[in-house]
């Protein structure tokens, strides 16, 4: 068994774009997490009714790359539900997010650093590593910290270049190295 799957949730498309790009680079499957009730307000209130069963059998994959956004400094309910539901089927997992928080602010209240700690504590030794692709990487310097600008920006073929592309290539390289390990 040396197979990888990218499992993702995306509301506005950036994490779907990222998930598809990862799957394409690794020539692997991808599948979207589909909540039973896709009501954003309920998510924000932390009310969630679970997710529909995945079509793929997670047990068959040695690596699950889990991809999705962060909201309010938290691991979002569809991703949390996925981990809870498939925990015993996951062999090892890599968590990846296209988020709003910058690297400089990762340890602040809404930063990805805190969510990574949460993911690591839930997945325990199944978590190989976590990787952020802050949307600010595709914004000009004067807009990197601008919440309005990053909320309106979504990853696409036009803006996925420069710093984000370099980070992406290192990320894929790291996965290949992990997969090469006995
Ligand atoms: C209600 C809401 C809350 C958010 N909270 C955070 C946050 O706490 N930390 C963060 O880094 N990004 C936050 N974001 C930004 C999203 O993570 C970011 O826009 C992400 O790229 C959206 O992914 P998607 O296009 O796949 O839905 C928030 C976005 C929304 C809509």
């Amino acid at each position: 068994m040396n197979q990888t799957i990218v499992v993702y949730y995306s509301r506005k498309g950036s994490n779907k774009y990222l998930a598809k790009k990862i799957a394409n680079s690794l020539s692997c499957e991808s599948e979207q997490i589909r909540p039973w009730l896709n009501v954003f307000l309920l998510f924000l209130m932390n009310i969630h009714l679970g997710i529909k069963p995945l079509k793929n059998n997670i047990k068959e994959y040695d690596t699950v790359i889990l991809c999705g956004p962060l909201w309010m400094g938290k691991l979002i309910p569809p991703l949390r539900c996925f981990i809870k539901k498939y925990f015993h089927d996951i062999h090892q997992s890599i968590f990846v997010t296209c988020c709003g928080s910058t690297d400089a602010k990762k340890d602040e209240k809404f930063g990805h650093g805190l969510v990574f700690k949460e993911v690591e504590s839930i997945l325990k030794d199944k978590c190989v590593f976590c990787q952020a692709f802050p949307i600010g990487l595709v914004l000009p310097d004067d807009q990197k910290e601008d919440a309005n600008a990053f909320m309106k920006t979504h990853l696409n073929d036009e803006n996925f270049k420069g710093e984000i592309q370099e980070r992406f290539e290192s990320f894929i390289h790291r996965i290949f190295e992990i997969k090469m390990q006995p």
Side-chain angles (χ1 to χ4, degrees):
M1 176 172 48
N2 188 17
Q3 294 225 48
T4 302
I5 186 167
V6 185
V7 176
Y8 66 93
Y9 178 83
S10 178
R11 185 167 169 263
K12 291 286 185 180
S14 289
N15 283 280
K16 177 175 184 180
Y17 178 88
L18 186 58
K20 295 279 179 194
K21 206 169 173 70
I22 296 166
N24 194 33
S25 298
L26 299 175
S27 304
C28 73
E29 297 274 342
S30 65
E31 185 170 348
Q32 185 170 12
I33 296 172
R34 294 165 302 138
W36 283 112
L37 201 61
N38 211 347
V39 180
F40 184 53
L41 199 62
L42 291 182
F43 287 163
L44 291 182
M45 291 160 74
N46 216 13
I47 300 169
H48 49 101
L49 303 175
I51 58 169
K52 295 180 186 168
L54 264 73
K55 294 180 190 127
N56 287 284
N57 183 354
I58 293 300
K59 256 189 207 159
E60 288 175 2
Y61 298 89
D62 68 289
T63 307
V64 176
I65 301 178
L66 185 58
C67 178
L70 316 182
W71 296 336
M72 315 303 276
K74 297 250 167 40
L75 177 63
I76 64 168
L79 302 184
R80 185 191 297 281
C81 269
F82 169 79
I83 297 175
K84 207 172 153 196
K85 189 165 176 170
Y86 292 98
F87 184 83
H88 295 291
D89 295 341
I90 298 172
H91 298 277
Q92 62 174 7
S93 184
I94 293 161
F95 179 71
V96 51
T97 180
C98 171
C99 57
S101 65
T102 59
D103 292 335
K105 295 197 171 170
K106 72 177 171 42
D107 296 320
E108 295 186 5
K109 192 177 174 193
F110 298 113
H112 52 267
L114 298 182
V115 177
F116 288 180
K117 282 193 183 127
E118 197 183 346
V119 171
E120 284 158 7
S121 81
I122 302 173
L123 278 168
K124 303 191 175 63
D125 57 354
K126 295 184 183 203
C127 182
V128 187
F129 75 99
C130 299
Q131 176 72 58
F133 290 90
I135 197 83
L137 293 176
V138 304
L139 287 169
D141 282 349
D142 61 337
Q143 289 179 19
K144 283 191 189 307
E145 306 268 351
D146 179 345
N148 211 8
F150 76 64
M151 290 300 241
K152 282 194 207 145
T153 306
H154 311 291
L155 295 183
N156 57 49
D157 285 343
E158 289 295 300
N159 62 21
F160 204 93
K161 52 192 169 200
E163 210 181 337
I164 198 161
Q165 177 69 29
E166 283 166 29
R167 189 175 293 208
F168 182 79
E169 282 162 16
S170 310
F171 171 73
I172 295 296
H173 183 74
R174 191 169 173 190
I175 295 174
F176 275 125
E177 279 183 343
I178 289 165
K179 305 279 294 175
M180 299 275 282
Q181 282 167 14

